[in-house]
Amino acid sequence: RIHEVVRIEILERIFSLIVTSKPVQAVHFVSLLSRIIREVPQILTADGDTYIGRIKDNFDYLAELAPAVSHALLESVQPIMAANQSFQDYIILVLRKSMFSRELESRVT
């Protein structure tokens, strides 16, 4: 909440752990992200697109995640989608790309 300097690094680390961890462990990191978004939503929307842009960049890996993790991740960013139309449009685009992917796993996600 207080230290602006490390906010981006914390978000990057959380997303890195979500992508690289096993699904059981990744769900815990998704719940941490959800808690940050729920408790301090102004941090994610106050600096314009700085934080939103970083979150968008990490959603490119959504198709590679386990279905349970990707579902939890989408639920965790719902407050941002409600507040930011461009973020919502980006998530819809990513989901459409996954839906028409050649790989079965990404379509299941």
Side-chain angles (χ1 to χ4, degrees), residues 15 52-65 70 73-74 77 81 85-103 105-109:
F15 272 107
I52 301 295
R54 295 291 179 111
I55 293 173
K56 280 182 182 179
D57 292 343
N58 288 294
F59 263 89
D60 292 334
Y61 299 106
L62 188 68
E64 299 173 13
L65 298 174
S70 61
L73 187 59
L74 286 170
V77 296
M81 289 192 301
Q85 184 66 39
S86 70
F87 183 75
Q88 181 180 4
D89 293 342
Y90 184 78
I91 297 300
I92 290 171
L93 179 69
V94 169
L95 291 172
R96 284 184 179 167
K97 282 183 182 178
S98 316
M99 192 168 62
F100 292 107
S101 175
R102 291 180 184 178
E103 298 174 15
E105 274 299 312
S106 63
R107 289 192 307 244
V108 169
T109 300

Side-chain angles (χ1 to χ4, degrees), residues 22-38:
K22 294 179 182 179
V24 175
Q25 297 167 338
V27 172
H28 296 294
F29 297 116
V30 171
S31 67
L32 176 63
L33 178 67
S34 177
R35 186 172 173 191
I36 290 171
I37 291 171
R38 277 185 286 119

Side-chain angles (χ1 to χ4, degrees), residues 4-47:
E4 284 185 44
V5 178
V6 295
R7 287 181 189 159
I8 294 273
E9 292 179 33
I10 291 171
L11 286 175
E12 286 294 328
R13 184 69 177 149
I14 290 172
F15 272 107
S16 171
L17 290 168
I18 289 170
V19 171
T20 59
S21 298
K22 294 179 182 179
V24 175
Q25 297 167 338
V27 172
H28 296 294
F29 297 116
V30 171
S31 67
L32 176 63
L33 178 67
S34 177
R35 186 172 173 191
I36 290 171
I37 291 171
R38 277 185 286 119
E39 291 184 8
V40 196
Q42 66 274 15
I43 288 175
L44 297 171
T45 57
D47 256 356

